[in-house]
Amino acid sequence: VVLTRYNNRTYTVDSVDWDKSALSEFNLKDSNCTFMKYYEDVHNLRIRDQYQPLLKVISKKLPHPIYLVPEFCCMTGLSERLRADFKIMQSLDEYTKVNPAVRQDKIIEFIDKINSSKSIQNSLSEWDVKINNDLMTV
């Protein structure tokens, strides 16, 4: 399962189509269009690796497959095999079901690590990003 950042939709990937890339064409409103041009025109996204294979999604709603560009996708979720493994799920619970005080301490510890690292601070300064030490009170 992947999440596409440009539309916040999730898709179950059926396969990787090694024969298709961002330079491949598809039919869009009775004309041919490359994936590269489509993403640039519709989503204002520039594909960096024009030769990467595309992810193929079989849709139950559409008569044709959907092709996704991997660099615009984030993996999400767990496979059926992992969900069926009780020990793995129990181990995950230790990290995902943490009480609020422990979670807050871990976040503060993480922020301290970020703010004390020179290399991270150099990278963040390139983007003009600063991490505040104080947590937000709601």
PDB file of all heavy atoms in Angstrom, residues 46-71:
ATOM      1  N   ARG A  46       7.805  17.840 -10.976  1.00  0.00           N
ATOM      2  CA  ARG A  46       8.831  17.478 -11.953  1.00  0.00           C
ATOM      3  C   ARG A  46       9.439  16.135 -11.544  1.00  0.00           C
ATOM      4  O   ARG A  46       9.942  15.986 -10.437  1.00  0.00           O
ATOM      5  CB  ARG A  46       9.900  18.567 -12.009  1.00  0.00           C
ATOM      6  CG  ARG A  46      10.864  18.353 -13.156  1.00  0.00           C
ATOM      7  CD  ARG A  46      11.608  19.604 -13.505  1.00  0.00           C
ATOM      8  NE  ARG A  46      10.724  20.394 -14.403  1.00  0.00           N
ATOM      9  CZ  ARG A  46      10.722  21.696 -14.449  1.00  0.00           C
ATOM     10  NH1 ARG A  46      11.501  22.391 -13.683  1.00  0.00           N
ATOM     11  NH2 ARG A  46       9.931  22.324 -15.289  1.00  0.00           N
ATOM     12  N   ILE A  47       9.406  15.175 -12.450  1.00  0.00           N
ATOM     13  CA  ILE A  47       9.964  13.841 -12.194  1.00  0.00           C
ATOM     14  C   ILE A  47      11.474  13.915 -12.354  1.00  0.00           C
ATOM     15  O   ILE A  47      11.970  14.355 -13.392  1.00  0.00           O
ATOM     16  CB  ILE A  47       9.343  12.805 -13.150  1.00  0.00           C
ATOM     17  CG1 ILE A  47       7.841  12.688 -12.878  1.00  0.00           C
ATOM     18  CG2 ILE A  47      10.041  11.459 -13.000  1.00  0.00           C
ATOM     19  CD1 ILE A  47       7.098  11.809 -13.859  1.00  0.00           C
ATOM     20  N   ARG A  48      12.203  13.502 -11.319  1.00  0.00           N
ATOM     21  CA  ARG A  48      13.663  13.580 -11.348  1.00  0.00           C
ATOM     22  C   ARG A  48      14.295  12.433 -12.134  1.00  0.00           C
ATOM     23  O   ARG A  48      15.259  12.625 -12.835  1.00  0.00           O
ATOM     24  CB  ARG A  48      14.216  13.616  -9.928  1.00  0.00           C
ATOM     25  CG  ARG A  48      13.975  14.966  -9.255  1.00  0.00           C
ATOM     26  CD  ARG A  48      14.553  14.997  -7.881  1.00  0.00           C
ATOM     27  NE  ARG A  48      13.571  14.347  -7.011  1.00  0.00           N
ATOM     28  CZ  ARG A  48      13.831  13.809  -5.846  1.00  0.00           C
ATOM     29  NH1 ARG A  48      15.042  13.822  -5.367  1.00  0.00           N
ATOM     30  NH2 ARG A  48      12.888  13.248  -5.134  1.00  0.00           N
ATOM     31  N   ASP A  49      13.769  11.230 -11.958  1.00  0.00           N
ATOM     32  CA  ASP A  49      14.338  10.071 -12.651  1.00  0.00           C
ATOM     33  C   ASP A  49      13.339   9.600 -13.703  1.00  0.00           C
ATOM     34  O   ASP A  49      12.403   8.862 -13.395  1.00  0.00           O
ATOM     35  CB  ASP A  49      14.632   8.954 -11.647  1.00  0.00           C
ATOM     36  CG  ASP A  49      15.234   7.722 -12.288  1.00  0.00           C
ATOM     37  OD1 ASP A  49      15.438   7.719 -13.522  1.00  0.00           O
ATOM     38  OD2 ASP A  49      15.488   6.750 -11.559  1.00  0.00           O
ATOM     39  N   GLN A  50      13.553  10.019 -14.936  1.00  0.00           N
ATOM     40  CA  GLN A  50      12.591   9.728 -15.990  1.00  0.00           C
ATOM     41  C   GLN A  50      12.576   8.266 -16.427  1.00  0.00           C
ATOM     42  O   GLN A  50      11.680   7.831 -17.133  1.00  0.00           O
ATOM     43  CB  GLN A  50      12.823  10.629 -17.190  1.00  0.00           C
ATOM     44  CG  GLN A  50      14.182  10.488 -17.818  1.00  0.00           C
ATOM     45  CD  GLN A  50      14.447  11.562 -18.854  1.00  0.00           C
ATOM     46  OE1 GLN A  50      13.707  12.521 -18.963  1.00  0.00           O
ATOM     47  NE2 GLN A  50      15.506  11.386 -19.607  1.00  0.00           N
ATOM     48  N   TYR A  51      13.576   7.486 -15.969  1.00  0.00           N
ATOM     49  CA  TYR A  51      13.667   6.083 -16.372  1.00  0.00           C
ATOM     50  C   TYR A  51      13.191   5.107 -15.292  1.00  0.00           C
ATOM     51  O   TYR A  51      13.231   3.897 -15.504  1.00  0.00           O
ATOM     52  CB  TYR A  51      15.106   5.742 -16.783  1.00  0.00           C
ATOM     53  CG  TYR A  51      15.560   6.579 -17.944  1.00  0.00           C
ATOM     54  CD1 TYR A  51      16.490   7.589 -17.766  1.00  0.00           C
ATOM     55  CD2 TYR A  51      15.041   6.388 -19.222  1.00  0.00           C
ATOM     56  CE1 TYR A  51      16.899   8.388 -18.835  1.00  0.00           C
ATOM     57  CE2 TYR A  51      15.441   7.175 -20.291  1.00  0.00           C
ATOM     58  CZ  TYR A  51      16.369   8.171 -20.084  1.00  0.00           C
ATOM     59  OH  TYR A  51      16.760   8.947 -21.139  1.00  0.00           O
ATOM     60  N   GLN A  52      12.746   5.600 -14.135  1.00  0.00           N
ATOM     61  CA  GLN A  52      12.292   4.691 -13.082  1.00  0.00           C
ATOM     62  C   GLN A  52      11.055   3.924 -13.546  1.00  0.00           C
ATOM     63  O   GLN A  52      10.203   4.478 -14.243  1.00  0.00           O
ATOM     64  CB  GLN A  52      12.008   5.454 -11.795  1.00  0.00           C
ATOM     65  CG  GLN A  52      10.868   6.464 -11.890  1.00  0.00           C
ATOM     66  CD  GLN A  52      10.744   7.309 -10.655  1.00  0.00           C
ATOM     67  OE1 GLN A  52      10.557   6.786  -9.573  1.00  0.00           O
ATOM     68  NE2 GLN A  52      10.873   8.623 -10.817  1.00  0.00           N
ATOM     69  N   PRO A  53      10.955   2.643 -13.205  1.00  0.00           N
ATOM     70  CA  PRO A  53       9.771   1.870 -13.593  1.00  0.00           C
ATOM     71  C   PRO A  53       8.548   2.374 -12.819  1.00  0.00           C
ATOM     72  O   PRO A  53       8.684   2.961 -11.744  1.00  0.00           O
ATOM     73  CB  PRO A  53      10.135   0.440 -13.190  1.00  0.00           C
ATOM     74  CG  PRO A  53      11.132   0.602 -12.103  1.00  0.00           C
ATOM     75  CD  PRO A  53      11.898   1.860 -12.414  1.00  0.00           C
ATOM     76  N   LEU A  54       7.381   2.148 -13.372  1.00  0.00           N
ATOM     77  CA  LEU A  54       6.156   2.627 -12.742  1.00  0.00           C
ATOM     78  C   LEU A  54       5.485   1.524 -11.926  1.00  0.00           C
ATOM     79  O   LEU A  54       5.642   0.340 -12.208  1.00  0.00           O
ATOM     80  CB  LEU A  54       5.192   3.146 -13.804  1.00  0.00           C
ATOM     81  CG  LEU A  54       5.714   4.285 -14.677  1.00  0.00           C
ATOM     82  CD1 LEU A  54       4.639   4.737 -15.663  1.00  0.00           C
ATOM     83  CD2 LEU A  54       6.196   5.454 -13.839  1.00  0.00           C
ATOM     84  N   LEU A  55       4.747   1.944 -10.912  1.00  0.00           N
ATOM     85  CA  LEU A  55       3.982   1.022 -10.083  1.00  0.00           C
ATOM     86  C   LEU A  55       2.611   0.835 -10.714  1.00  0.00           C
ATOM     87  O   LEU A  55       1.938   1.805 -11.072  1.00  0.00           O
ATOM     88  CB  LEU A  55       3.827   1.580  -8.664  1.00  0.00           C
ATOM     89  CG  LEU A  55       5.117   1.918  -7.932  1.00  0.00           C
ATOM     90  CD1 LEU A  55       4.817   2.543  -6.577  1.00  0.00           C
ATOM     91  CD2 LEU A  55       6.000   0.691  -7.782  1.00  0.00           C
ATOM     92  N   LYS A  56       2.198  -0.416 -10.866  1.00  0.00           N
ATOM     93  CA  LYS A  56       0.924  -0.717 -11.516  1.00  0.00           C
ATOM     94  C   LYS A  56      -0.124  -1.045 -10.454  1.00  0.00           C
ATOM     95  O   LYS A  56       0.098  -1.879  -9.588  1.00  0.00           O
ATOM     96  CB  LYS A  56       1.103  -1.902 -12.461  1.00  0.00           C
ATOM     97  CG  LYS A  56      -0.138  -2.261 -13.251  1.00  0.00           C
ATOM     98  CD  LYS A  56       0.181  -3.404 -14.195  1.00  0.00           C
ATOM     99  CE  LYS A  56      -1.015  -3.801 -15.008  1.00  0.00           C
ATOM    100  NZ  LYS A  56      -0.686  -4.933 -15.906  1.00  0.00           N
ATOM    101  N   VAL A  57      -1.261  -0.367 -10.549  1.00  0.00           N
ATOM    102  CA  VAL A  57      -2.371  -0.564  -9.622  1.00  0.00           C
ATOM    103  C   VAL A  57      -3.578  -1.017 -10.433  1.00  0.00           C
ATOM    104  O   VAL A  57      -3.930  -0.380 -11.428  1.00  0.00           O
ATOM    105  CB  VAL A  57      -2.705   0.752  -8.876  1.00  0.00           C
ATOM    106  CG1 VAL A  57      -3.939   0.590  -8.016  1.00  0.00           C
ATOM    107  CG2 VAL A  57      -1.519   1.216  -8.058  1.00  0.00           C
ATOM    108  N   ILE A  58      -4.181  -2.121 -10.028  1.00  0.00           N
ATOM    109  CA  ILE A  58      -5.403  -2.590 -10.681  1.00  0.00           C
ATOM    110  C   ILE A  58      -6.575  -2.037  -9.881  1.00  0.00           C
ATOM    111  O   ILE A  58      -6.740  -2.332  -8.701  1.00  0.00           O
ATOM    112  CB  ILE A  58      -5.475  -4.137 -10.719  1.00  0.00           C
ATOM    113  CG1 ILE A  58      -4.250  -4.727 -11.406  1.00  0.00           C
ATOM    114  CG2 ILE A  58      -6.764  -4.596 -11.380  1.00  0.00           C
ATOM    115  CD1 ILE A  58      -4.087  -4.364 -12.852  1.00  0.00           C
ATOM    116  N   SER A  59      -7.362  -1.211 -10.540  1.00  0.00           N
ATOM    117  CA  SER A  59      -8.499  -0.564  -9.893  1.00  0.00           C
ATOM    118  C   SER A  59      -9.775  -1.353 -10.161  1.00  0.00           C
ATOM    119  O   SER A  59      -9.999  -1.822 -11.273  1.00  0.00           O
ATOM    120  CB  SER A  59      -8.660   0.863 -10.424  1.00  0.00           C
ATOM    121  OG  SER A  59      -9.851   1.435  -9.960  1.00  0.00           O
ATOM    122  N   LYS A  60     -10.614  -1.483  -9.132  1.00  0.00           N
ATOM    123  CA  LYS A  60     -11.904  -2.140  -9.312  1.00  0.00           C
ATOM    124  C   LYS A  60     -12.903  -1.190  -9.971  1.00  0.00           C
ATOM    125  O   LYS A  60     -13.884  -1.615 -10.550  1.00  0.00           O
ATOM    126  CB  LYS A  60     -12.441  -2.617  -7.963  1.00  0.00           C
ATOM    127  CG  LYS A  60     -11.605  -3.727  -7.364  1.00  0.00           C
ATOM    128  CD  LYS A  60     -12.079  -4.099  -5.990  1.00  0.00           C
ATOM    129  CE  LYS A  60     -11.138  -5.159  -5.421  1.00  0.00           C
ATOM    130  NZ  LYS A  60     -11.211  -5.270  -3.994  1.00  0.00           N
ATOM    131  N   LYS A  61     -12.624   0.106  -9.885  1.00  0.00           N
ATOM    132  CA  LYS A  61     -13.545   1.113 -10.410  1.00  0.00           C
ATOM    133  C   LYS A  61     -13.270   1.484 -11.870  1.00  0.00           C
ATOM    134  O   LYS A  61     -14.143   1.990 -12.549  1.00  0.00           O
ATOM    135  CB  LYS A  61     -13.478   2.377  -9.554  1.00  0.00           C
ATOM    136  CG  LYS A  61     -13.899   2.164  -8.121  1.00  0.00           C
ATOM    137  CD  LYS A  61     -13.712   3.415  -7.304  1.00  0.00           C
ATOM    138  CE  LYS A  61     -14.014   3.144  -5.844  1.00  0.00           C
ATOM    139  NZ  LYS A  61     -13.729   4.288  -5.000  1.00  0.00           N
ATOM    140  N   LEU A  62     -12.031   1.267 -12.308  1.00  0.00           N
ATOM    141  CA  LEU A  62     -11.646   1.668 -13.665  1.00  0.00           C
ATOM    142  C   LEU A  62     -11.363   0.445 -14.528  1.00  0.00           C
ATOM    143  O   LEU A  62     -10.858  -0.564 -14.030  1.00  0.00           O
ATOM    144  CB  LEU A  62     -10.402   2.556 -13.621  1.00  0.00           C
ATOM    145  CG  LEU A  62     -10.544   3.881 -12.867  1.00  0.00           C
ATOM    146  CD1 LEU A  62      -9.192   4.572 -12.745  1.00  0.00           C
ATOM    147  CD2 LEU A  62     -11.534   4.788 -13.564  1.00  0.00           C
ATOM    148  N   PRO A  63     -11.632   0.542 -15.828  1.00  0.00           N
ATOM    149  CA  PRO A  63     -11.386  -0.601 -16.718  1.00  0.00           C
ATOM    150  C   PRO A  63      -9.919  -0.769 -17.103  1.00  0.00           C
ATOM    151  O   PRO A  63      -9.556  -1.744 -17.740  1.00  0.00           O
ATOM    152  CB  PRO A  63     -12.230  -0.252 -17.963  1.00  0.00           C
ATOM    153  CG  PRO A  63     -12.285   1.241 -17.962  1.00  0.00           C
ATOM    154  CD  PRO A  63     -12.281   1.658 -16.510  1.00  0.00           C
ATOM    155  N   HIS A  64      -9.081   0.181 -16.721  1.00  0.00           N
ATOM    156  CA  HIS A  64      -7.659   0.137 -17.078  1.00  0.00           C
ATOM    157  C   HIS A  64      -6.818   0.299 -15.810  1.00  0.00           C
ATOM    158  O   HIS A  64      -7.285   0.832 -14.802  1.00  0.00           O
ATOM    159  CB  HIS A  64      -7.332   1.250 -18.087  1.00  0.00           C
ATOM    160  CG  HIS A  64      -7.719   2.613 -17.592  1.00  0.00           C
ATOM    161  ND1 HIS A  64      -6.955   3.329 -16.705  1.00  0.00           N
ATOM    162  CD2 HIS A  64      -8.816   3.360 -17.840  1.00  0.00           C
ATOM    163  CE1 HIS A  64      -7.549   4.475 -16.434  1.00  0.00           C
ATOM    164  NE2 HIS A  64      -8.684   4.518 -17.102  1.00  0.00           N
ATOM    165  N   PRO A  65      -5.564  -0.147 -15.854  1.00  0.00           N
ATOM    166  CA  PRO A  65      -4.697   0.012 -14.673  1.00  0.00           C
ATOM    167  C   PRO A  65      -4.306   1.475 -14.451  1.00  0.00           C
ATOM    168  O   PRO A  65      -4.353   2.293 -15.367  1.00  0.00           O
ATOM    169  CB  PRO A  65      -3.474  -0.845 -14.990  1.00  0.00           C
ATOM    170  CG  PRO A  65      -3.492  -1.056 -16.450  1.00  0.00           C
ATOM    171  CD  PRO A  65      -4.892  -0.855 -16.935  1.00  0.00           C
ATOM    172  N   ILE A  66      -3.923   1.778 -13.228  1.00  0.00           N
ATOM    173  CA  ILE A  66      -3.387   3.089 -12.874  1.00  0.00           C
ATOM    174  C   ILE A  66      -1.885   2.903 -12.713  1.00  0.00           C
ATOM    175  O   ILE A  66      -1.441   1.919 -12.112  1.00  0.00           O
ATOM    176  CB  ILE A  66      -3.996   3.585 -11.540  1.00  0.00           C
ATOM    177  CG1 ILE A  66      -5.501   3.738 -11.668  1.00  0.00           C
ATOM    178  CG2 ILE A  66      -3.347   4.889 -11.094  1.00  0.00           C
ATOM    179  CD1 ILE A  66      -6.207   3.947 -10.340  1.00  0.00           C
ATOM    180  N   TYR A  67      -1.105   3.840 -13.231  1.00  0.00           N
ATOM    181  CA  TYR A  67       0.347   3.780 -13.089  1.00  0.00           C
ATOM    182  C   TYR A  67       0.806   4.941 -12.213  1.00  0.00           C
ATOM    183  O   TYR A  67       0.394   6.080 -12.427  1.00  0.00           O
ATOM    184  CB  TYR A  67       1.037   3.823 -14.451  1.00  0.00           C
ATOM    185  CG  TYR A  67       0.801   2.563 -15.241  1.00  0.00           C
ATOM    186  CD1 TYR A  67      -0.220   2.484 -16.173  1.00  0.00           C
ATOM    187  CD2 TYR A  67       1.594   1.440 -15.022  1.00  0.00           C
ATOM    188  CE1 TYR A  67      -0.452   1.316 -16.878  1.00  0.00           C
ATOM    189  CE2 TYR A  67       1.366   0.267 -15.717  1.00  0.00           C
ATOM    190  CZ  TYR A  67       0.351   0.215 -16.640  1.00  0.00           C
ATOM    191  OH  TYR A  67       0.121  -0.949 -17.330  1.00  0.00           O
ATOM    192  N   LEU A  68       1.635   4.633 -11.235  1.00  0.00           N
ATOM    193  CA  LEU A  68       2.135   5.635 -10.293  1.00  0.00           C
ATOM    194  C   LEU A  68       3.645   5.773 -10.425  1.00  0.00           C
ATOM    195  O   LEU A  68       4.353   4.783 -10.669  1.00  0.00           O
ATOM    196  CB  LEU A  68       1.798   5.233  -8.861  1.00  0.00           C
ATOM    197  CG  LEU A  68       0.330   4.958  -8.542  1.00  0.00           C
ATOM    198  CD1 LEU A  68       0.190   4.412  -7.125  1.00  0.00           C
ATOM    199  CD2 LEU A  68      -0.500   6.213  -8.727  1.00  0.00           C
ATOM    200  N   VAL A  69       4.138   6.989 -10.219  1.00  0.00           N
ATOM    201  CA  VAL A  69       5.576   7.245 -10.230  1.00  0.00           C
ATOM    202  C   VAL A  69       6.092   7.033  -8.804  1.00  0.00           C
ATOM    203  O   VAL A  69       5.638   7.710  -7.880  1.00  0.00           O
ATOM    204  CB  VAL A  69       5.878   8.682 -10.718  1.00  0.00           C
ATOM    205  CG1 VAL A  69       7.363   8.975 -10.656  1.00  0.00           C
ATOM    206  CG2 VAL A  69       5.339   8.885 -12.123  1.00  0.00           C
ATOM    207  N   PRO A  70       7.023   6.100  -8.609  1.00  0.00           N
ATOM    208  CA  PRO A  70       7.482   5.770  -7.261  1.00  0.00           C
ATOM    209  C   PRO A  70       7.995   6.949  -6.436  1.00  0.00           C
ATOM    210  O   PRO A  70       7.762   7.008  -5.228  1.00  0.00           O
ATOM    211  CB  PRO A  70       8.597   4.747  -7.498  1.00  0.00           C
ATOM    212  CG  PRO A  70       8.261   4.131  -8.802  1.00  0.00           C
ATOM    213  CD  PRO A  70       7.627   5.224  -9.612  1.00  0.00           C
ATOM    214  N   GLU A  71       8.662   7.908  -7.057  1.00  0.00           N
ATOM    215  CA  GLU A  71       9.232   9.004  -6.271  1.00  0.00           C
ATOM    216  C   GLU A  71       8.159   9.895  -5.652  1.00  0.00           C
ATOM    217  O   GLU A  71       8.453  10.676  -4.766  1.00  0.00           O
ATOM    218  CB  GLU A  71      10.231   9.823  -7.081  1.00  0.00           C
ATOM    219  CG  GLU A  71       9.656  10.725  -8.123  1.00  0.00           C
ATOM    220  CD  GLU A  71      10.745  11.468  -8.894  1.00  0.00           C
ATOM    221  OE1 GLU A  71      11.505  10.821  -9.639  1.00  0.00           O
ATOM    222  OE2 GLU A  71      10.810  12.693  -8.742  1.00  0.00           O
TER     223      GLU A  71
END
